[in-house]
Each structure stands twice: as structure tokens, then as C-alpha cells.
Amino acid sequence: ATRLGSEFAPNLDEGDIAMHALRIPGTSLSQAIELQKVLEEKITQMPEVERVFAKIGTADVATDAVPPSVADNFIILKPRDQWPNPNKSKAQIVEELAALVEPIPGNRYEFLQPIQMRFNELLTGIREDIAVKLYGEDLDVLAAKAQEMGGIIAGIDGVADMKVEATAGLPQINIDYDRARMARYGINIEKVNKDKYAINLVL
């Protein structure tokens, strides 16, 4: 047994569920909190769930840099003898949980276990069991190739919960300076960048 590869060792059941709620890139913190409240109300409807709590975005100790559009949900289950059906499998619980939360608009989900999730992140920098990293300088080309790769990977037998990381869609504001107008007011670019009153003058 000590010389068997890890593919022969089944995942240990930690007893609880870690669920990522992934929202549209650019989701504000206030929107994420409102979506999270709806999500947690749904999760606590399951009779097997004791409580649920979440971390939205990056924690105070920034070891896990994520935006406000991502929430780590930790779903603590009751002892098995308190379930309506103590013989229900963990996989069945996850399936029922997915069916309950997937109709909620604005969210996409990944299901793991808390310790398994953290070890995956520590070892490889990703939460999933398998990932493909694509490198390059042109984000548009990378996004197109990633979608193409995702289509191929999704067609492989045994693949579940496949997703392509979002690299576009974050709202941006591009500012073009009217240098002639700024010169009339005797304002330079540094002052416009720092001074709200200067911005109002040139807008």
C-alpha cells in the first residue's frame, strides 16, 4: 500500500463541504454580500446542514488573493445520526446542494472539501484537482485559445465541473487627457490624477 500511486487512494471524507461561489468579474462587495445572503438562506434549508459561513474576497492575511466576486463557503454538516436519512452518501448531499443553489442567478459553483481545497492551493496554486495553465502576452489570443482548450477538455470522459478562468469582462475607465484645456487652467497631469477639484475643472 505504501508504494501505490495516489490514484489508488480514495479521497478522505472530511465531513464538511467547501463550496466556491463565483460571480461575474467586477461584482462589487455590496452586491456580493446581497448574493451571499440569498445563497446562505438556501443552503440552510437542507436538513443535513448545521451552519454555513463564508469568506468574500481576500482575507486580512492576504495569502489567498481573490476579488470580491469570489466567496469561499464552508458548509458544516450535522452529525450523521441527526440526518433524516443517515445512509445518504456525501456525493448525494453535494448533488442535492448543487440542485438547490444552481437556480440562483449570478453564481457559479465548485464543490470541494475545506482541507483538500487548501492543500490543492498550497501545492499547485489552484483549487481544482487538475488544471491547464496557458501563458502569453496577448490576452485576447489567450482567451480564445483557453475557450478552444475548454471545449476539447469538456468532451473527455470523466471530466466534471470544467471551467475556463475569466480573463475579460472587468469594467474599466479609460481617461484621455485634454492637454490644451489643462494648459489653459495651468494644470498638469499629476495634479489631475491627485486633485478632485482639478478633475472637475477639466471635465
Side-chain angles (χ1 to χ4, degrees):
T2 59
R3 290 187 293 277
L4 285 173
S6 60
E7 62 269 23
F8 294 102
N11 283 336
L12 295 175
D13 183 3
E14 296 176 25
D16 299 317
I17 300 168
M19 184 185 81
H20 299 291
L22 306 157
R23 286 138 191 162
I24 299 167
T27 301
S28 69
L29 181 58
S30 58
Q31 286 175 314
I33 291 170
E34 289 305 313
L35 288 167
Q36 190 61 36
K37 287 178 181 176
V38 174
L39 184 60
E40 290 182 12
E41 285 175 7
K42 277 286 185 184
I43 293 169
T44 52
Q45 290 176 10
M46 289 189 65
E48 295 85 3
V49 173
E50 180 179 307
R51 64 185 182 278
V52 57
F53 58 93
K55 174 186 73 66
I56 298 175
T58 302
D60 292 337
V61 179
T63 53
D64 185 15
V66 293
S69 57
V70 177
D72 290 344
N73 293 271
F74 297 93
I75 300 165
I76 310 304
L77 301 178
K78 294 175 183 176
R80 190 172 282 273
D81 58 6
Q82 295 179 23
W83 294 6
N85 178 9
N87 296 321
K88 188 182 290 185
S89 68
K90 182 81 168 288
Q92 194 174 345
I93 293 283
V94 171
E95 285 177 13
E96 291 177 5
L97 181 61
L100 187 67
V101 299
E102 280 171 1
I104 301 172
N107 299 284
R108 191 163 51 79
Y109 309 99
E110 295 173 353
F111 297 93
L112 286 165
Q113 300 184 100
I115 299 171
Q116 178 190 19
M117 175 187 72
R118 288 298 171 222
F119 266 92
N120 284 355
E121 289 177 334
L122 285 170
L123 293 171
T124 63
I126 58 166
R127 297 181 177 98
E128 294 77 14
D129 292 327
I130 299 172
V132 178
K133 293 186 178 183
L134 190 61
Y135 297 91
E137 296 179 0
D138 190 324
L139 285 178
D140 292 333
V141 173
L142 287 176
K145 290 295 179 187
Q147 291 294 339
E148 187 180 333
M149 290 167 62
I152 294 168
I153 293 167
I156 298 172
D157 289 341
V159 171
D161 298 327
M162 195 285 301
K163 72 177 182 72
V164 176
E165 196 73 28
T167 57
L170 189 66
Q172 297 179 351
I173 298 175
N174 295 321
I175 298 174
D176 294 323
Y177 296 101
D178 187 339
R179 294 175 186 269
R181 191 172 180 187
M182 289 166 59
R184 285 199 298 272
Y185 289 103
I187 299 171
N188 59 27
I189 288 174
E190 184 180 1
K191 186 168 181 62
V192 171
N193 286 337
K194 290 183 178 179
D195 192 336
K196 193 184 295 182
Y197 175 69
I199 294 173
N200 290 334
L201 277 177
V202 295
L203 288 178

